[in-house]
Each structure stands twice: as structure tokens, then as C-alpha cells.
Amino acid sequence: MKIYDFLIIGAGSGGCNCAHYLQQRGLSVAIADKEGVASGGSGAAGAFLSPLAGVQNSYNRFINSALEYSLEFYEKMTPNSIVKKGVLRVENNNFNSAKLQTNSIKNHYISAKELQEISQNFTQIDGYFYENAAILNPHEVCQELIKECDFYNYNVKELKYEDGLYIFDDFKAKNIILAQGVIKSIVETPYIKIAPIFGVKIDVKTTTKVPFNIHKSISVSTNKKDSTISIGATKERHDTSEMECLTSCDKCAFYVNNEQGQVEELLKDARELIKLEDVKVTKVYRGARATIKSYFPVIGKVIDYEQSLKKYPSIKNGTKIPPELLTYFENLYIINALGSRGFVVAPMLAKLLCEEILDSKKVPQELSNEKLFYKMARTKVST
Ligand SMILES: Cc1cc2nc3c(=O)[nH]c(=O)nc-3n(C[C@H](O)[C@H](O)[C@H](O)COP(=O)(O)OP(=O)(O)OC[C@H]3O[C@@H](n4cnc5c(N)ncnc54)[C@H](O)[C@@H]3O)c2cc1C
């Protein structure tokens, strides 16, 4: 029976980037997904690579450095799956013009008149242009990342660990990385409270040339290599962060009955930015992205919540127990909560996580699951 160094559970942006990194480091890697490659949030993603504007803080610093890293990474790795023509950010409720101007990322203002000179299809909008932005083909990228790994179309329901190995029907693995997105985790991680945020993307054939990506509350892409454009938005949040996804969005009763309305809304919002001619919707994708309250993604070795608290119950009262004394699941790691920029952050997160595993380099505090563990353990006592 084949023994892999790593099994990655979930073939989305998070899992595929980890698989690629580990395989490049000479390890044997298998990746399993119950639905197929890029079938979750990653398949529905724009997938726009865009900067995060605003006064510098730890979060947008993280996003913008991940963007630099990922643009270079994808341009080298999958040059045929990336179109880099920049993005026009149009003011909206979250990003007013003050916020769009006040940041460390190079940009320039384009007036409505100048936009008309670029293309008469633009409506009366103006905005801020950021050169360092692109769009990817998420399916092609994920496939390319794992082309040297073994793929199993397999629903991993539980983990069986014996004599230093995780055991499955057809193979064994020394290490596991959970990259499950919004789907219910197969191990208990109550301190990672994933909130699924649902979104829709459509691929559209049009004779209109869209010179660059446009973002407002929705995103309209420039024409991709096959000349189609993508229009996407994530808006709908499940009403509780306690809700766990047990299936993909395409099968979820919460969404399936509303496709026509979702598509029409996207086209209407897109036409408020640019006139689109001879429109034919060729494909609709639905998916949910995983977000947690702090917005930062989560990577690292997985802490066993129950056992750690059993061992050190005084953590609940605020006693400082260093992370190295906590109990961790054996050879089990996680990458999740990639948020609204999963394709932007995944290459860098994969590198950071795998360097922690292989080279004992600590992951930055703001990305670690330890912070979430302590937070939950300490707040539980006062509630
Ligand atoms: C509509 C939409 C638009 C988006 N737009 C952008 C964008 O423009 N730019 C950007 O960077 N990001 C965007 N995102 C966010 C980005 O797509 C996500 O953050 C990222 O793709 C999440 O990747 P993931 O690997 O963590 O999860 P997913 O892609 O959801 O992958 C998880 C996979 O795990 C599998 N799985 C789960 N449990 C099991 C199990 N037990 N056994 C086997 N398989 C399992 C699932 O089938 C799934 O395929 C968007 C998201 C959505 C929904």
C-alpha cells in the first residue's frame, strides 16, 4: 500500500498551493476532494488578484505583500492562466474616495471624461487605477498546481491514526493538511469559527472590450484569454457563524432556487459600470468563501482543544501556558479562512505553513491558530 508524506484534504486554492509547495520540496503528496479540483469556493472565485486600499494596518500590509508574492508566483507558474491589466476601483460604501486615495499602493485617479476616452462603453463613473492587479482562471491554476500529485476523488469522513500513519482505504499518509474551506471540519476545531459567505460568478460572452478589471460592490473582469469576461460578487452571509456547510453551494437548499435572480442582479450591477453588448451568459458558478472574525487566515499545527484544556484547565482563568505545552493532533495541520482574497494569499500561506512543518519556522502570530485557541479558552469561562 502506498505511503505518502502528505495527504491534503481539499483541492481548492489553499490545498493545491500546499500540495505544490511540498511536491516542489521533494515530498510525495496526495490530494483528496469529494467534489473535484476547485469545486468549492475556489471554483466560484473571480479570481481577481487585487490590492487592498486604505491607511496601512497589519491586515492590508499582509494582503498587499501577499499580492506582490502571488502575482510573481502565478506569472511564473501559470503564465497562460493570468491576465494582468490592472484594476479600476470605483468608490462604494466601504471604500470612499478618501480611503481609495489614502494608501501606500501606487495608483492614479481617472476621471469620467478620461474613462470615456479609453472606452465609450464606460458609464459616468470615475475611479482609482491600480496597475498591480490581475485575473486568473481558478480551475486551470488549481489543476496546474497539483499536476505532479496523486488526486483522489474521495470524501474523507474520519481520520484513523495508527503507528505514526493515517490510514485510508487505498493508501496511508504520514501527515495531513486540512484545507476544507467552509465544509465542516473532520476534526474538532471549535476555536476556528468559520462563517461561510456565499457568492456567484458568471462567465459572459460579449462583443464589448473591457480594458481592465473594474471593482465596485461587484467585480467585472477584463476580457480573458478566450475573450469572455467574468462578473462576480460575494454578498450573502449565512445568518450565523455557527452554521456548518455539509454540502457544496450547488446542492445547498439555501441557494439553489434563486439562480435567475442572482444572474440578473450581477448583469444589472455590471451595466451600471460599463455597457455590455451582445451578452450571453455561458456559465454560472456558485460557492462560499470561509471567513473568520479577525479576517486573517489560519494556518498551523492543529491544537486539540479538549485535551489542552483538560491538561491545563487554568488556561480558562488566564494562566499563560506557552503554545509548545498544548496538546496537538499528531502530524495534522490546517490552512483555512482564506477570506475574500483566497487566490491572493494562498501561495504565501502555503509557503509559511510548509516552512513551519519542514523547517520549524514559526508562522506569524496573527495567522496562527494558537491565538484563536487562547481567545476561545479564556472567553468561555466568563460566559
Ligand atoms: C463568489 C466568490 C468570488 C471570489 N472571488 C475571489 C477573488 O476575486 N479573488 C480571490 O483571491 N478570492 C476570491 N474568492 C475567495 C476564494 O475563492 C477563497 O478564499 C478560496 O478559494 C478558498 O480556498 P480554500 O481552498 O480554502 O477552500 P475551497 O476552495 O472551498 O476548497 C475546499 C475544498 O475542500 C473539499 N472538502 C472539504 N471537506 C472535504 C472532505 N471531508 N473530504 C474531501 N474533500 C473535502 C471541498 O469539496 C472543496 O473543494 C471568492 C470566493 C467566492 C465564493
PDB file of all heavy atoms in Angstrom, residues 16 42 70 123 196 198 214 224 271 277 321 336 358:
ATOM      1  N   CYS A  16      -4.305  23.157  -2.919  1.00  0.00           N
ATOM      2  CA  CYS A  16      -3.471  22.961  -4.124  1.00  0.00           C
ATOM      3  C   CYS A  16      -2.132  23.697  -3.969  1.00  0.00           C
ATOM      4  O   CYS A  16      -1.093  23.198  -4.413  1.00  0.00           O
ATOM      5  CB  CYS A  16      -4.212  23.439  -5.374  1.00  0.00           C
ATOM      6  SG  CYS A  16      -5.632  22.393  -5.774  1.00  0.00           S
ATOM      7  N   SER A  42     -13.165  28.026  -4.387  1.00  0.00           N
ATOM      8  CA  SER A  42     -12.138  28.351  -5.387  1.00  0.00           C
ATOM      9  C   SER A  42     -12.690  28.309  -6.807  1.00  0.00           C
ATOM     10  O   SER A  42     -12.281  29.111  -7.647  1.00  0.00           O
ATOM     11  CB  SER A  42     -10.958  27.384  -5.264  1.00  0.00           C
ATOM     12  OG  SER A  42     -10.383  27.504  -3.991  1.00  0.00           O
ATOM     13  N   SER A  70       2.122  36.730  -4.889  1.00  0.00           N
ATOM     14  CA  SER A  70       1.315  35.831  -5.716  1.00  0.00           C
ATOM     15  C   SER A  70       1.355  36.239  -7.194  1.00  0.00           C
ATOM     16  O   SER A  70       1.340  35.368  -8.066  1.00  0.00           O
ATOM     17  CB  SER A  70      -0.123  35.740  -5.210  1.00  0.00           C
ATOM     18  OG  SER A  70      -0.776  36.962  -5.347  1.00  0.00           O
ATOM     19  N   THR A 123     -19.883  53.895 -18.272  1.00  0.00           N
ATOM     20  CA  THR A 123     -20.954  54.811 -17.872  1.00  0.00           C
ATOM     21  C   THR A 123     -20.284  56.003 -17.181  1.00  0.00           C
ATOM     22  O   THR A 123     -19.057  56.076 -17.139  1.00  0.00           O
ATOM     23  CB  THR A 123     -21.928  54.102 -16.912  1.00  0.00           C
ATOM     24  OG1 THR A 123     -21.158  53.676 -15.778  1.00  0.00           O
ATOM     25  CG2 THR A 123     -22.599  52.896 -17.554  1.00  0.00           C
ATOM     26  N   PRO A 196     -19.454  31.094   6.502  1.00  0.00           N
ATOM     27  CA  PRO A 196     -19.466  30.998   5.036  1.00  0.00           C
ATOM     28  C   PRO A 196     -20.133  32.226   4.424  1.00  0.00           C
ATOM     29  O   PRO A 196     -21.207  32.633   4.855  1.00  0.00           O
ATOM     30  CB  PRO A 196     -20.312  29.751   4.770  1.00  0.00           C
ATOM     31  CG  PRO A 196     -20.702  29.210   6.100  1.00  0.00           C
ATOM     32  CD  PRO A 196     -20.489  30.262   7.123  1.00  0.00           C
ATOM     33  N   PHE A 198     -21.534  33.526   0.853  1.00  0.00           N
ATOM     34  CA  PHE A 198     -21.912  32.969  -0.441  1.00  0.00           C
ATOM     35  C   PHE A 198     -21.715  33.979  -1.568  1.00  0.00           C
ATOM     36  O   PHE A 198     -21.892  35.175  -1.375  1.00  0.00           O
ATOM     37  CB  PHE A 198     -23.383  32.558  -0.378  1.00  0.00           C
ATOM     38  CG  PHE A 198     -23.956  32.215  -1.709  1.00  0.00           C
ATOM     39  CD1 PHE A 198     -23.618  31.036  -2.342  1.00  0.00           C
ATOM     40  CD2 PHE A 198     -24.839  33.083  -2.338  1.00  0.00           C
ATOM     41  CE1 PHE A 198     -24.149  30.715  -3.579  1.00  0.00           C
ATOM     42  CE2 PHE A 198     -25.380  32.768  -3.570  1.00  0.00           C
ATOM     43  CZ  PHE A 198     -25.036  31.577  -4.189  1.00  0.00           C
ATOM     44  N   ILE A 214     -12.755  45.957 -13.210  1.00  0.00           N
ATOM     45  CA  ILE A 214     -13.450  47.062 -12.530  1.00  0.00           C
ATOM     46  C   ILE A 214     -14.052  46.488 -11.250  1.00  0.00           C
ATOM     47  O   ILE A 214     -14.711  45.443 -11.285  1.00  0.00           O
ATOM     48  CB  ILE A 214     -14.614  47.629 -13.388  1.00  0.00           C
ATOM     49  CG1 ILE A 214     -14.183  47.809 -14.856  1.00  0.00           C
ATOM     50  CG2 ILE A 214     -15.119  48.945 -12.810  1.00  0.00           C
ATOM     51  CD1 ILE A 214     -15.371  48.032 -15.799  1.00  0.00           C
ATOM     52  N   LYS A 224     -10.813  37.860 -20.877  1.00  0.00           N
ATOM     53  CA  LYS A 224      -9.785  36.856 -20.577  1.00  0.00           C
ATOM     54  C   LYS A 224      -9.218  36.303 -21.881  1.00  0.00           C
ATOM     55  O   LYS A 224      -9.577  36.763 -22.954  1.00  0.00           O
ATOM     56  CB  LYS A 224     -10.412  35.766 -19.706  1.00  0.00           C
ATOM     57  CG  LYS A 224     -10.842  36.326 -18.338  1.00  0.00           C
ATOM     58  CD  LYS A 224     -11.627  35.323 -17.541  1.00  0.00           C
ATOM     59  CE  LYS A 224     -13.001  35.106 -18.122  1.00  0.00           C
ATOM     60  NZ  LYS A 224     -13.822  34.142 -17.430  1.00  0.00           N
ATOM     61  N   ARG A 271     -23.777  46.530 -15.615  1.00  0.00           N
ATOM     62  CA  ARG A 271     -24.149  47.546 -16.623  1.00  0.00           C
ATOM     63  C   ARG A 271     -24.179  48.945 -16.036  1.00  0.00           C
ATOM     64  O   ARG A 271     -24.218  49.919 -16.776  1.00  0.00           O
ATOM     65  CB  ARG A 271     -25.497  47.180 -17.236  1.00  0.00           C
ATOM     66  CG  ARG A 271     -25.367  46.022 -18.203  1.00  0.00           C
ATOM     67  CD  ARG A 271     -26.687  45.679 -18.825  1.00  0.00           C
ATOM     68  NE  ARG A 271     -26.518  44.763 -19.925  1.00  0.00           N
ATOM     69  CZ  ARG A 271     -27.178  43.624 -20.056  1.00  0.00           C
ATOM     70  NH1 ARG A 271     -28.061  43.258 -19.142  1.00  0.00           N
ATOM     71  NH2 ARG A 271     -26.966  42.858 -21.097  1.00  0.00           N
ATOM     72  N   GLU A 277     -22.422  44.683 -24.603  1.00  0.00           N
ATOM     73  CA  GLU A 277     -23.226  44.386 -25.797  1.00  0.00           C
ATOM     74  C   GLU A 277     -23.177  42.900 -26.152  1.00  0.00           C
ATOM     75  O   GLU A 277     -22.197  42.217 -25.847  1.00  0.00           O
ATOM     76  CB  GLU A 277     -22.713  45.223 -26.974  1.00  0.00           C
ATOM     77  CG  GLU A 277     -23.244  46.660 -26.897  1.00  0.00           C
ATOM     78  CD  GLU A 277     -22.330  47.685 -27.540  1.00  0.00           C
ATOM     79  OE1 GLU A 277     -21.273  47.303 -28.070  1.00  0.00           O
ATOM     80  OE2 GLU A 277     -22.683  48.872 -27.473  1.00  0.00           O
ATOM     81  N   ILE A 321      -0.050  29.608  29.507  1.00  0.00           N
ATOM     82  CA  ILE A 321       0.634  28.347  29.202  1.00  0.00           C
ATOM     83  C   ILE A 321       1.204  28.497  27.796  1.00  0.00           C
ATOM     84  O   ILE A 321       0.468  28.782  26.855  1.00  0.00           O
ATOM     85  CB  ILE A 321      -0.367  27.157  29.234  1.00  0.00           C
ATOM     86  CG1 ILE A 321      -1.036  27.042  30.607  1.00  0.00           C
ATOM     87  CG2 ILE A 321       0.303  25.854  28.817  1.00  0.00           C
ATOM     88  CD1 ILE A 321      -0.124  26.638  31.749  1.00  0.00           C
ATOM     89  N   ASN A 336      -6.901  27.546   6.375  1.00  0.00           N
ATOM     90  CA  ASN A 336      -8.317  27.853   6.156  1.00  0.00           C
ATOM     91  C   ASN A 336      -8.581  29.339   6.396  1.00  0.00           C
ATOM     92  O   ASN A 336      -7.672  30.097   6.694  1.00  0.00           O
ATOM     93  CB  ASN A 336      -9.215  26.984   7.039  1.00  0.00           C
ATOM     94  CG  ASN A 336     -10.584  26.735   6.388  1.00  0.00           C
ATOM     95  OD1 ASN A 336     -11.071  27.539   5.581  1.00  0.00           O
ATOM     96  ND2 ASN A 336     -11.211  25.627   6.720  1.00  0.00           N
ATOM     97  N   LEU A 358       8.285  21.902   7.753  1.00  0.00           N
ATOM     98  CA  LEU A 358       9.533  21.270   7.298  1.00  0.00           C
ATOM     99  C   LEU A 358      10.783  21.888   7.916  1.00  0.00           C
ATOM    100  O   LEU A 358      11.780  21.210   8.117  1.00  0.00           O
ATOM    101  CB  LEU A 358       9.652  21.360   5.773  1.00  0.00           C
ATOM    102  CG  LEU A 358       8.484  20.795   4.950  1.00  0.00           C
ATOM    103  CD1 LEU A 358       8.725  21.013   3.470  1.00  0.00           C
ATOM    104  CD2 LEU A 358       8.272  19.314   5.234  1.00  0.00           C
TER     105      LEU A 358
END
